Structure formats: structure tokens, C-alpha cells
Amino acid sequence: MNETGNHEHPSPLSWLLVAIAWILVGIPLLWGIFKTLGKAKLLFG
């Protein structure tokens, strides 16, 4: 909150940066999960 007690909303640029960060983290994370599950399937399947 600022001094007047109003809530400040994030700017559209902030939302864009958050989306880009999620993409940059999420794609390698999903790839790692996919590869790990594939190797586990071979090991246990």
C-alpha cells in the first residue's frame, strides 16, 4: 500500500516480465520432467 492506503496494481510490463520468466523456467523444467519420466518408464516398465 502507498501512503494514501490505495493498492497499487502491477504494470502491464510487470505481467509481461513474469510471463517471460515462467516460460524461461517452465520449458526446461517440463523437458526435464519428460525425460526423467521416460527413463523411469524404461527402468520400471
Side-chain angles (χ1 to χ4, degrees), residues 1-16:
M1 284 196 291
N2 59 18
E3 293 176 7
T4 61
N6 294 329
H7 293 284
E8 294 184 21
H9 297 285
S11 69
L13 179 60
S14 295
W15 287 110
L16 179 64

Side-chain angles (χ1 to χ4, degrees), residues 7-44:
H7 293 284
E8 294 184 21
H9 297 285
S11 69
L13 179 60
S14 295
W15 287 110
L16 179 64
L17 293 175
V18 167
I20 290 170
W22 271 107
I23 290 169
L24 290 175
V25 171
I27 290 174
L29 184 64
L30 289 174
W31 178 253
I33 291 170
F34 175 75
K35 295 300 268 183
T36 300
L37 290 176
K39 289 183 180 190
K41 182 179 176 184
L42 291 175
L43 184 62
F44 295 110

